Amino acid sequence: MTEAPRKKTLLDIQRMKAQGEKITVLTAYDYPFARIMDSAGIDMILVGDSLGSVVAGYDTTLPVTMDEMLYHSRAVVRGVASALVISDMPFLSYQVDLSDAKRNAGRLIKEGGAQAVKLEGGENIAPTIRAIVEMDIPVVGHIGLTPQSIHRMGGYRVQGRQEEQARQLLADAKAVEAAGAFAVVLEGIPAALAREITAALTIPTIGIGAGVDCDGQVLVIHDILGLCEKYSPKFVKRFADVSGTIRQGIDDYIVDVKQGSFPGDEHSF
Ligand code: KIV
């Protein structure tokens, strides 16, 4: 009899940093993708609010709601046996007041089935991270290019290029760690700054557009599989052309139906 895979916890993730083992993270938004990446041995799965862009077709992540995050979290969790599942807290679910933030974080765990939540922000959001951690909910921080702040940043721009900004990002990373986050995403920052932050923290850094020296890497699944042609950021490596495969399958289906060669006898009763 084969043993069921053991569910990863935040202790496994923290141990990986201590042992210098790279941490792999991908986003997922539904059951089939979650199953495939879990069986491939991914360490953590992020139900990202990027679903607003790659699943729902919005230009930003700002319209994503708690109900949408809960729906997608439940679908992902049903497909996962081993990976640690993190759910994103969507815009306005944690910025307004602490009791909102605590209740919404709790809902992602209780109703969504996630093991951890992720919030964007540094020093400004540290008290919120602390309040959620005090409820025994594991938190992942997210600093640098934070998509929910697109209007403040004036677009999806690399952050921390100027010295003052870089100093602030280091302070943000330390504040997130001090508030009790067990890991932090570093998005869209220079590789040298990510290296410095990674060396300064005891919690793992998970990079996206932050160079190779982070403790782990995260990417959006639709980006690495070539499923979303709308954006192609420099930091994305395309590992497959799934759009091409899907298109070919659909083209073949249309031809078969038009020609009357599908369904055949073997598909009929
Ligand atoms: O929403 C998301 O997918 C994210 C990652 C890309 C870090 O926040």
Side-chain angles (χ1 to χ4, degrees):
M1 204 172 79
T2 52
E3 253 178 59
R6 189 177 68 79
K7 189 83 176 144
K8 289 198 170 100
T9 74
L10 81 179
L11 300 179
D12 296 302
I13 303 305
Q14 288 178 319
R15 200 172 304 124
M16 290 170 81
K17 171 159 182 147
Q19 295 174 347
E21 184 185 346
K22 292 281 189 186
I23 301 161
T24 57
V25 190
L26 280 170
T27 66
Y29 316 102
D30 61 24
Y31 174 79
F33 275 98
R35 263 185 76 123
I36 294 168
M37 60 183 77
D38 188 62
S39 69
I42 199 82
D43 295 312
M44 297 200 281
I45 295 178
L46 170 66
V47 188
D49 61 354
S50 50
L51 67 87
S53 311
V54 298
V55 177
Y58 294 123
D59 285 336
T60 72
T61 58
L62 298 177
V64 176
T65 65
M66 271 299 295
D67 283 346
E68 288 164 343
M69 290 309 304
L70 287 167
Y71 173 83
H72 287 281
S73 296
R74 284 192 291 265
V76 165
V77 165
R78 284 193 287 268
V80 171
S82 163
L84 190 158
V85 178
I86 307 157
S87 284
D88 252 341
M89 298 197 67
F91 181 60
L92 271 199
S93 71
Y94 60 99
Q95 291 95 340
V96 178
D97 63 43
L98 274 188
S99 67
D100 246 19
K102 288 160 70 175
R103 183 166 301 103
N104 286 324
R107 289 189 72 199
L108 290 169
I109 304 295
K110 183 171 179 165
E111 299 171 44
Q115 290 158 274
V117 299
K118 177 168 80 59
L119 286 70
E120 297 182 8
E123 282 184 326
N124 61 325
I125 218 72
T128 310
I129 293 177
R130 187 181 304 280
I132 296 172
V133 169
E134 280 171 0
M135 295 170 70
D136 289 341
I137 296 175
V139 171
V140 176
H142 183 165
I143 64 169
L145 193 173
T146 44
Q148 291 178 17
S149 309
I150 182 169
H151 297 312
R152 172 181 56 76
M153 296 182 300
Y156 296 113
R157 298 164 177 279
V158 174
Q159 303 293 299
R161 282 205 157 119
Q162 294 84 23
E163 217 181 301
E164 179 54 38
Q165 254 191 5
R167 251 201 307 275
Q168 181 60 51
L169 282 172
L170 182 57
D172 285 337
K174 288 182 175 169
V176 164
E177 174 174 76
F182 78 93
V184 60
V185 170
L186 306 180
E187 178 164 357
I189 67 173
L193 175 60
R195 187 182 318 126
E196 188 185 344
I197 292 174
T198 300
L201 299 187
T202 58
I203 59 171
T205 58
I206 310 294
I208 172 164
V212 75
D213 291 316
C214 297
D215 298 304
Q217 297 291 328
V218 57
L219 282 174
V220 168
I221 186 68
H222 288 54
D223 289 341
I224 72 162
L225 297 183
L227 266 169
C228 197
E229 270 100 36
K230 212 162 147 191
Y231 314 97
S232 191
K234 174 177 175 180
F235 57 77
V236 169
K237 177 172 173 183
R238 190 167 284 190
F239 288 85
D241 173 24
V242 173
S243 278
T245 306
I246 292 174
R247 177 59 200 257
Q248 188 60 57
I250 293 170
D251 286 348
D252 293 348
Y253 169 76
I254 291 172
V255 168
D256 278 16
V257 171
K258 294 274 186 199
Q259 286 177 343
S261 55
F262 175 83
D265 287 345
E266 68 276 32
H267 308 114
S268 304
F269 302 101

